[in-house]
Amino acid sequence: MVTVSTGELAVVGMGIVAPGISGPEGALAPLGEAAPGWFRAEVALPGRGYRRLPDACKYLLAASRLAVSDAGDRFSKTERNHRAAAVAINNTGAALLEELDYTIMREGAEELSPSSSPFIAMSSFASRLSMEHGITGFNLTVNSPFTAGLEALRIAARAVAAGRARAVLVGAVEEALSPSQSTGPGSEAGAAVLHCEPAVEGNARYGTCGVRGAFLAPDAAGDAAAVLGPLVGDDPPGRIDAVLDDSAVGTAAARWLDRLADKREVVIVPAPAQAGCLAPLQRVMGLFAQQHTAPTRRAVLAASAQGTLAFAELTVVPRTAIGVDGEEALAV
Amino acid sequence: MNTSNGDRRVVITGLGAISCLGTGVTAYWDGLLAGGGQPAEVPLPHLNMRTKKMYLVDRAEIPAQPSHYAGVELGSSPRLAVAAAEQALTDAGLEYGACDAIPVVLGAELGNADMQEIQRSSGRTAWTTLTPAAAVVGAGIGSRAALTSVGNACSASGYALTIALDMIRAGEATTVLVGGAEGITRAGMGAFNRLGAADPVRCRPFDRNRAGTMFGDGSAMIVLEADDHARRRGAEPYAELAGAAWSCDAHHPTAPDPSGDQIVRAMTAALADAKLSSSDVGCVIPHGTGTPLNDVVESQALRRMFGERIRELPLFSLKAMIGHTTGAAGAFACLTATLMLRHRKVPANSPIDQDPECGVWLPQEGPVLLDGPAVLVNTYAFGGNNTSFVVKDVAGEGSKWSR
């Protein structure tokens, strides 16, 4: 009988590529606007074979390189069949999909770009990771609105426990909506990747995390306590970062969190209505990159307008500084 | 903290389907026995492409509700998913709307694309989520459990079934509603036309003249349940989801690895997970899309798996009957495998002029006896994202199939 804990993953490497964010230690800052030129592919991805990829694919590849590099050569030393990826997407292919569809409508399918057409399958954005890093264990794409990044962590933990992989690149990638698709400012662009492994003693370079999920239908938002109480648990961490929009579900979650505010630090991170799945995972990364002198519990809560809820509980290991290439300048 | 228990058995206790063969599982099985559906022109505007057909759900059978969810106007995919979910839960003896502890795991690729495309054609361009279906189903069934929406293109619901299996084995849930749902999509069809992967005639996997695949819409939903839980509440299982495995080619953005090594690995691992051998397999439902290379590579991989027995092991080419339902394909294959085990037969395949490079047996003269306790299913996708899973007979435990 195979009996493995399914609760947690160890985070051993991190990488982020996003406008206005210089690295994991800056990941608690809000994303900047994706102004033209914010991402320099020729610097992040030198070499051949990347030019015709959609930008979102490049963001993900670049972030994955940073995460793998941050962890040293652990990923390449993992046997290929035990390497895996779990990637979250929401609006990643939205602008490209619109462009392809307009081409069909106005000029016909024969005028579609052959290099862009495969990205009609939204998992194609993540699939390139497999070729880049020799991943033959599995490559999974999840797409729940807003919470998919945390959901990817949950699925990765379960898959590792089931023996389907020993090292997983857990990521989220988004691309800005087109001007005609966007109803307001704040659509995300960029990618965040966590290099995760089984949570065994001494393995957690940044810390460990486990994710739980729940569902609160918008028309049942009045029952938030019945759903959020069990999700957050009786002994929540000392700080909870909640990424919430102003939907019925987000508003109900914010109200419920108010009751914790006198005992816990609750940081509400406002999300725009068309937010993707990057911000919650970015928040996880930012909390892991903080410096502490003792093991410290943190949490990230995300709630979508559609009702999906995810709660990531982190234990951040003691560290005082992260040096060049992720080497600890001084570990406690 | 949960634990993963590979020995915990997971059974299928409810089935639901809506496809080009009709609404309901009986209509589905009867439709397979009758030879499957026929493609028809897709009812979308601005369909400027050579191949315009899909295997379509009768538009009169697509439920009108729910038409909206959380401010999103819904296309056919979420509504099909809700319809199939209600069937599956009712079939399992569970009350629709009162399933607060049941998670939903759904494979959905371009889920709400048809609504977006209709809006785009009429000048409405604001973006809304492509993948609301899992949440729509969750709200419909009254769930408060975590939802999972899987987007691995043509293997999405193969992955979804495995995730659901792992959830029950891990003790996270006793019952999971799992499946897939896809609607129609102009952009998806256009891209496949441009890639030369859209057959203008019909979906004809393993045919020497196959010219790509042809999509189908619909939804298949399955209630998976811990065996002990099902027995305690007196539910009679149809079959067992006995094992599943994943692999990835890491070879090419769209084409399969010609070596077939990773799809063989997935099949081998799925059987090992099910604690079965290749001799237990009475039928294979291949991924079999009709794209020239996929069918050859899969045929060769099946020969590696089954050796000379592949000449007498029936394959059932499902996509020839309902089209390639992409994100729902794995769920439809699981449904089909379950019905084969229940009826102890493999429906006759659609007639083809078989490609000699595809050295597999596709019985076409009439249904054949299912002579084995397990059906092996393959689902593959762009990027070489592979799943294989094994559906096993439960009634056979006291029968000639007992091992």
Side-chain angles (χ1 to χ4, degrees):
Chain A
M1 185 174 89
V2 181
T3 302
V4 195
S5 72
T6 64
E8 292 193 319
L9 285 173
V11 176
V12 301
M14 304 197 291
I16 185 166
V17 171
I21 306 292
S22 58
E25 61 277 14
L28 292 180
L31 289 181
E33 282 295 312
W38 75 267
F39 175 70
R40 295 181 60 199
E42 70 280 6
V43 175
L45 295 169
R48 296 169 61 86
Y50 303 108
R51 188 170 60 85
R52 293 185 177 180
L53 295 176
D55 284 347
C57 202
K58 296 176 192 171
Y59 308 154
L60 184 62
L61 288 170
S64 75
R65 281 190 176 193
L66 292 170
V68 167
S69 169
D70 184 39
D73 56 358
R74 298 169 72 109
F75 202 75
S76 62
K77 283 185 174 173
T78 304
E79 202 267 320
R80 284 169 59 101
N81 288 345
H82 287 105
R83 296 179 207 168
V87 176
I89 61 168
N90 280 175
N91 303 335
T92 319
L96 180 61
L97 188 63
E98 181 187 59
E99 180 186 325
L100 293 172
D101 198 29
Y102 273 136
T103 300
I104 294 167
M105 291 167 60
R106 293 165 178 165
E107 303 167 58
E110 290 308 307
E111 299 305 315
L112 294 174
S113 156
S115 59
S116 297
S117 293
F119 289 89
I120 194 73
M122 297 293 155
S123 52
S124 293
F125 290 92
S127 289
R128 187 63 188 239
L129 283 179
S130 294
M131 286 177 280
E132 182 82 0
H133 297 289
I135 294 169
T136 58
F138 66 83
N139 189 323
L140 182 68
T141 293
V142 288
N143 55 26
S144 290
F146 200 59
T147 53
L150 301 187
E151 190 175 294
L153 273 170
R154 183 160 50 89
I155 292 174
R158 191 186 298 119
V160 164
R164 303 192 188 283
R166 286 203 288 265
V168 188
L169 300 180
V170 178
V173 58
E174 293 292 0
E175 179 59 294
L177 297 170
S178 77
S180 64
Q181 291 173 318
S182 181
T183 58
S187 69
E188 299 173 334
V193 174
L194 305 177
H195 175 180
C196 299
E197 294 185 355
V200 295
E201 196 168 349
N203 206 24
R205 184 158 167 265
Y206 288 98
T208 59
C209 64
V211 178
R212 301 186 289 274
F215 180 68
L216 178 63
D219 62 3
D223 291 339
V227 175
L228 284 162
L231 179 67
V232 172
D234 296 332
D235 181 27
R239 170 174 166 169
I240 301 173
D241 289 22
V243 191
L244 304 172
D245 62 17
D246 61 0
S247 66
V249 177
T251 303
R255 283 192 190 130
W256 184 84
L257 285 168
D258 273 347
R259 73 184 60 188
L260 298 178
D262 57 339
K263 298 174 187 167
R264 302 286 191 274
E265 182 185 2
V266 176
V267 179
I268 302 292
V269 183
Q274 289 179 303
C277 58
L278 182 56
L281 198 66
Q282 176 194 341
R283 210 76 196 169
V284 167
M285 181 175 288
L287 290 171
F288 269 130
Q290 284 191 322
Q291 299 171 24
H292 301 282
T293 55
T296 303
R297 294 172 64 220
R298 295 286 182 254
V300 175
L301 173 71
S304 74
Q306 286 75 23
T308 54
L309 300 168
F311 185 74
E313 196 162 335
L314 327 177
T315 300
V316 185
V317 298
R319 65 172 51 247
T320 55
I322 301 173
V324 177
D325 296 330
E327 290 299 316
E328 286 88 350
L330 175 61
V332 176
Chain B
M1 181 174 290
N2 299 309
T3 57
S4 180
N5 180 347
D7 284 350
R8 191 177 200 189
R9 296 180 62 192
V10 177
V11 294
I12 295 165
T13 56
L15 301 170
I18 179 166
S19 70
C20 67
L21 304 180
T23 298
V25 171
T26 301
Y28 180 77
W29 180 247
D30 289 348
L32 295 181
L33 292 174
Q38 294 296 323
E41 187 152 331
V42 171
L44 279 173
H46 298 113
L47 209 62
N48 300 322
M49 59 194 72
R50 177 168 165 256
T51 297
K52 303 181 180 186
K53 291 183 177 179
M54 283 179 60
Y55 290 75
L56 294 171
V57 174
D58 184 337
R59 302 341 265 174
E61 293 190 31
I62 298 175
Q65 299 296 329
S67 60
H68 292 75
Y69 180 79
V72 177
E73 207 170 337
L74 300 179
S76 57
S77 161
R79 287 181 273 141
L80 291 166
V82 167
E86 186 166 4
Q87 289 175 38
L89 291 171
T90 302
D91 188 38
L94 299 167
E95 187 182 349
Y96 185 82
C99 300
D100 61 322
I102 297 183
V104 176
V105 184
L106 192 78
E109 168 64 26
L110 286 172
N112 213 37
D114 59 349
M115 178 54 70
Q116 293 197 354
E117 290 166 358
I118 290 166
Q119 291 173 344
R120 200 171 287 127
S121 280
S122 63
R124 294 163 61 192
T125 58
W127 176 259
T128 54
T129 177
L130 263 185
T131 52
V136 177
V137 172
I141 73 168
S143 178
R144 287 182 169 176
L147 309 184
T148 306
S149 185
V150 186
N152 270 67
C154 307
S155 55
S157 51
Y159 278 90
L161 281 156
T162 313
I163 289 168
L165 176 71
D166 285 349
M167 289 171 75
I168 294 174
R169 284 177 171 175
E172 292 180 41
T174 57
T175 308
V176 179
L177 178 63
V178 56
E182 294 290 2
I184 54 180
T185 160
R186 177 173 61 212
M189 292 176 67
F192 269 61
N193 268 269
R194 179 63 183 91
L195 294 168
D199 195 314
V201 178
R202 63 186 177 94
C203 192
R204 41 184 172 167
F206 307 105
D207 189 294
R208 71 169 74 226
N209 297 311
R210 67 191 182 281
T213 198
M214 183 177 283
F215 293 139
D217 64 351
S219 177
M221 298 295 287
I222 290 146
V223 176
L224 285 185
E225 196 167 351
D227 179 53
D228 53 351
H229 184 267
R231 288 183 191 282
R232 274 201 303 276
R233 69 179 187 90
E236 183 185 346
Y238 284 101
E240 178 184 356
L241 182 58
W246 298 341
S247 73
C248 184
D249 287 358
H251 170 73
H252 187 272
T254 56
D257 177 1
S259 79
D261 288 347
Q262 287 299 327
I263 62 176
V264 168
R265 189 172 74 84
M267 286 190 276
T268 304
L271 282 170
D273 189 36
K275 299 179 177 60
L276 295 172
S277 73
S278 62
S279 63
D280 294 307
V281 175
C283 177
V284 177
I285 301 177
H287 184 58
T289 56
T291 49
L293 185 57
N294 175 86
D295 295 357
V296 170
V297 170
E298 190 173 16
S299 297
Q300 292 167 346
L302 286 166
R303 174 168 287 275
R304 283 172 62 187
M305 279 296 297
F306 294 98
E308 282 305 306
R309 185 173 169 245
I310 197 63
R311 293 183 181 279
E312 56 193 33
L313 174 66
L315 265 62
F316 183 64
S317 180
L318 176 60
K319 293 179 179 66
M321 297 210 178
I322 63 169
H324 189 348
T325 53
T326 58
F332 272 109
C334 184
L335 164 70
T336 308
T338 304
L339 295 172
M340 285 179 182
L341 288 161
R342 186 171 184 82
H343 295 283
R344 302 286 172 94
K345 65 181 171 188
V346 179
N349 280 284
S350 296
I352 56 168
D353 180 6
Q354 189 164 342
D355 182 352
E357 279 198 80
C358 300
V360 292
W361 183 39
L362 293 147
Q364 297 161 46
E365 301 302 316
V368 297
L369 177 72
L370 179 62
D371 192 16
V375 177
L376 176 67
V377 175
N378 294 330
T379 74
Y380 308 142
F382 273 9
N385 295 323
N386 314 307
T387 75
S388 292
F389 59 88
V390 181
V391 185
K392 182 188 165 198
D393 181 67
V394 284
E397 284 163 2
S399 74
K400 67 186 178 67
W401 288 340
S402 182
R403 302 184 73 240

